[in-house]
Every structure is written in structure tokens, then in C-alpha cells.
Amino acid sequence: MDDEGAKAAFVRDAIAILQVPDHRKREADWYKSCRAHPITGEETELVYATIYVEDRASTELTFGPTEGLERQVIQRVVEVAIACDPKERIVEVCAKGGKDVRDEYATVFAKHFAPEAPPPIEAPRRDVLLEVLRKQPDFLIEPADGIDRVEVSSLNLFATGGGSARFDRPGEGETIHHFLARQFGSVSPLKGRGWTIAGATLRIYMTATEGKRARSLTVTLRAPNYTTIPNKTDIDRQFVMRLLERWKLVAPPPEDVEVIAAE
């Protein structure tokens, strides 16, 4: 992300997506900033890029010095904003033009900053509903799923007054929920006031089938809307998302809204 040559090449290709004449003014602003987690306050350093390109001028009616109506020329600017979390390999794009155009920016970004990586895939943000895990969840499994069992392998909790705690599944024969109840009883952080579940890791054990060995899928969820689903294959992404929806661990997808772009 500090390669000046990659930055210049990305800006050049990003401006080409806008299809503006060469004489239009343009400028790119690169900077780093920290984004604080809304629950834990943990900071993540992100790399930001904002590209400004001179757009076509327009005119508007306004009251001039003589209090009469005058037509004023407004020089508009088109903005394209990119935010990248290099550690998690996540790129966020804010630009006019709809999904196809945003996909172009993401592809160009990956081409210059992660040329050896697989093509980027879209991962719409869905809020995770971790409060479901305050009690031992009843993971509904259907025969067609091919799942042997599901377990909560870790829980991350955050105290309102500050501080955090992580609990891992102690071993075979006991779940995290049973362990916390046995160790802490009525003062378990899952029951006590002031504790928020900030993250969890699920392990999904698949049943061995003819010609395929048994395997497991590990999914990490972190409030408010982070999952490791994008790191999986397309088939596994769809499969895991269906399971999380069934188990009420992710919020429903936002309703589609028809947007008409302004000319």
C-alpha cells in the first residue's frame, strides 16, 4: 500500500473508468486513519484514497448583488472514495454508477495492490446477532446439510466499564456455555449485566461422504457486521450464509431499493 507506482497506476485506471476528457482537472488524496470498533473501541488502521475529477459545469438561479435573479455557473467535482483494510484484505468503494462500476474499481484496486490474489468478491455487510449466543444455541440441522455437528469454539466478551475476556471451548464433552455455568454460576458473563458479546467462532463439522473426507468449516463473527465468510469458496459462502440466516445469527438482508441515477 506504500508503493507510489501502484498508487499512480491505480489512480490512472480509476479515472479511466469515469471516461472523462483528458483536459479535466484531477487530484488524488491518500491518507491513513483509524476506525474504532463501536463496542470494544479497538482501532484498525485503514488506508483511504479519494479521487477528485472535474465534472461538467452546471448553472443555477441565484439572487445576485442587485437582489435580482442571476444565473450562476457551478463547477462540479466527481468523487471516488476507497477505504482499504490491508490486514483483513477488505476494500470498500463509494462511487456513483451502481454495482457494476464499483466492481470495476475493486478489480482495478486488486490488480495494482494484490496482483497475485484471487479476484475480489462482493460481500454485502450484514449485522451479526451475537446475543443469540447468550444461551446454548439449538443449531437446527437438516439432513440435506450433510453436517455432523456444530459447536461454538470461542466467545469474545467486552465489559461496559472496560476490559475484555475470551473463552475457548475447554475440550471434548463440554461446551463453552456449560463451562461458564460450571465455573461462574449466576455471575457468568453470559448472565451478568454489563457484558456484551463482541465476537464468536463457530466450527461446523461436515459428515464424510463417499469419495470425500470429513472436514470442518470455521466461521468467525465480530460485531457489528464482520464475518470470515468472504475468505471461503463461493459454494461454502452461500452454504454458511444460509446456515447463519437459519440460526438467526445474521440480520435479514436490506430490502432492495430502486435508485434512479441523476443525469
Side-chain angles (χ1 to χ4, degrees):
M1 295 301 303
D2 294 324
D3 188 329
E4 295 300 327
K7 289 181 180 180
F10 165 68
V11 171
R12 183 180 61 249
D13 288 352
I15 292 175
I17 294 173
L18 293 171
Q19 297 181 345
V20 296
D22 292 338
H23 69 271
R24 297 275 177 85
K25 297 177 182 178
R26 68 279 312 274
E27 182 177 321
D29 183 22
W30 293 85
Y31 60 97
K32 295 180 180 179
S33 180
C34 288
R35 177 183 294 175
H37 191 283
I39 295 177
T40 65
E42 179 185 2
E43 292 187 341
T44 301
E45 185 177 75
L46 302 181
V47 178
Y48 291 89
T50 305
I51 302 171
Y52 306 92
V53 180
E54 186 179 40
D55 198 5
R56 290 177 296 179
S58 62
T59 60
E60 295 180 357
L61 285 175
T62 183
F63 284 100
T66 62
E67 296 188 359
L69 284 174
E70 296 180 0
R71 189 164 291 279
Q72 184 180 35
V73 176
I74 304 296
Q75 181 59 63
R76 300 194 178 279
V77 174
V78 176
E79 295 183 37
V80 177
I82 305 288
C84 176
D85 181 346
K87 183 178 178 181
E88 298 291 348
R89 301 171 68 83
I90 295 173
V91 177
E92 300 172 9
V93 180
C94 181
K96 291 175 60 177
K99 177 184 180 303
D100 291 343
V101 173
R102 290 192 292 272
D103 286 349
E104 285 189 68
Y105 287 116
T107 300
V108 168
F109 189 91
K111 167 185 153 185
H112 292 293
F113 295 105
E116 303 300 326
I121 56 99
E122 183 182 19
R125 294 286 189 173
R126 300 271 294 274
D127 285 350
V128 295
L129 309 177
L130 297 175
E131 288 301 301
V132 174
L133 299 177
R134 283 199 177 273
K135 297 181 179 179
Q136 178 64 44
D138 181 17
F139 294 115
L140 177 61
I141 298 174
E142 298 176 353
D145 296 331
I147 296 175
D148 180 54
R149 70 185 190 280
V150 182
E151 66 180 34
V152 180
S153 60
S154 71
L155 285 175
N156 293 77
L157 298 106
F158 180 77
T160 303
S164 61
R166 174 188 170 97
F167 298 95
D168 293 294
R169 181 170 177 266
E172 294 296 332
E174 187 173 34
T175 67
I176 287 180
H177 294 79
H178 291 156
F179 169 77
L180 292 175
R182 176 170 59 82
Q183 288 290 104
F184 300 101
S186 61
V187 294
S188 164
L190 293 178
K191 296 180 179 179
R193 303 175 66 178
W195 287 92
T196 300
I197 302 178
T201 299
L202 307 182
R203 196 175 297 276
I204 304 168
Y205 291 91
M206 306 300 296
T207 305
T209 58
E210 185 177 353
K212 292 185 179 180
R213 295 182 301 174
R215 66 187 183 109
S216 64
L217 293 170
T218 301
V219 184
T220 299
L221 312 174
R222 288 206 296 267
N225 54 21
Y226 173 84
T227 76
T228 52
I229 293 177
N231 299 334
K232 305 189 181 306
T233 66
D234 187 56
I235 293 176
D236 285 346
R237 280 196 300 270
Q238 297 179 40
F239 175 66
V240 171
M241 182 56 73
R242 286 198 302 270
L243 294 175
L244 295 180
E245 290 174 340
R246 183 193 304 167
W247 298 334
K248 310 297 183 185
L249 285 170
V250 293
E255 296 182 4
D256 292 335
V257 178
E258 185 176 353
V259 179
I260 301 176
E263 295 293 338

